[in-house]
Amino acid sequence: MNKKGYTLIELIVVVALMGLAISVVGISLSYIQSTRVKDCAEKMNYAIETTRVNAMSRTGDNKVEFYKSSDGVYMIRTAGGITGSAEKIGGSSISVKYVISGAEQELGDSGTGNDLVFEFDKASGAFKGLTPQKIILSGSGKEMTISLYKRTGKTILE
């Protein structure tokens, strides 16, 4: 007998396997995005801490600036008066907000007033100027928060 076509069981098995494959891909993409949010938050936190140490131990201008453009989240570090080039630390799908004086604001382009610039007191390590209480990074259901303590210059990544 010459069989042409597929049985109902074969079709059900193929559809089930395709559904399983699509589920695995969806979960993987979500995991990748949440990892990107975590990496961006860790890079931000590390840059703030490093700038604080530099401010207390080096002469010259020591600061770090964070901003978001259409293609991602960037930082520019200045250590000992030498300004480095812009470094991309996160993709455009990462949302970065900060809370300052109780109001939440979205991180914006460099020089727009919605960028974040951190400088520190050389003697105490405290933040200089108007400092947000926290920075919130989010994307694909993952949220990371950097809490900032103005008087000590300390940060906590949660």
Side-chain angles (χ1 to χ4, degrees):
M1 186 188 303
N2 195 1
K3 290 185 177 181
K4 290 186 177 181
Y6 300 101
T7 66
L8 182 58
I9 301 224
E10 289 172 327
L11 288 173
I12 290 172
V13 168
V14 168
V15 169
L17 289 174
M18 286 175 50
L20 182 63
I22 290 169
S23 299
V24 168
V25 168
I27 290 169
S28 297
L29 291 175
S30 177
Y31 176 75
I32 289 169
Q33 180 61 23
S34 69
T35 301
R36 289 178 180 158
V37 170
K38 182 180 178 192
D39 288 347
C40 184
E42 288 173 346
K43 288 176 183 176
M44 256 187 169
N45 192 52
Y46 180 76
I48 293 168
E49 289 177 347
T50 304
T51 302
R52 179 177 179 264
V53 170
N54 286 341
M56 294 175 73
S57 61
R58 290 184 175 184
T59 59
D61 195 21
N62 294 283
K63 64 182 177 181
V64 63
E65 175 188 3
F66 299 102
Y67 65 93
K68 186 167 183 187
S69 69
S70 60
D71 67 329
V73 180
Y74 288 84
M75 75 173 169
I76 301 173
R77 290 190 247 197
T78 301
I82 301 168
T83 301
S85 58
E87 178 184 343
K88 187 173 183 178
I89 60 172
S92 61
S93 62
I94 297 174
S95 169
V96 182
K97 298 179 180 177
Y98 56 94
V99 178
I100 195 159
S101 301
E104 193 172 277
Q105 298 181 34
E106 187 83 29
L107 187 65
D109 256 337
S110 179
T112 62
N114 282 351
D115 55 341
L116 286 172
V117 180
F118 294 104
E119 295 183 82
F120 297 88
D121 180 72
K122 185 170 180 61
S124 67
F127 286 103
K128 283 184 176 179
L130 196 57
T131 305
Q133 291 83 36
K134 60 184 170 179
I135 303 169
I136 305 155
L137 295 93
S138 60
S140 290
K142 177 74 170 177
E143 186 173 286
M144 300 289 295
T145 302
I146 303 171
S147 298
L148 304 146
Y149 298 92
K150 183 171 177 59
R151 290 185 181 176
T152 61
K154 298 278 183 176
T155 63
I156 296 177
L157 179 60
E158 303 171 295

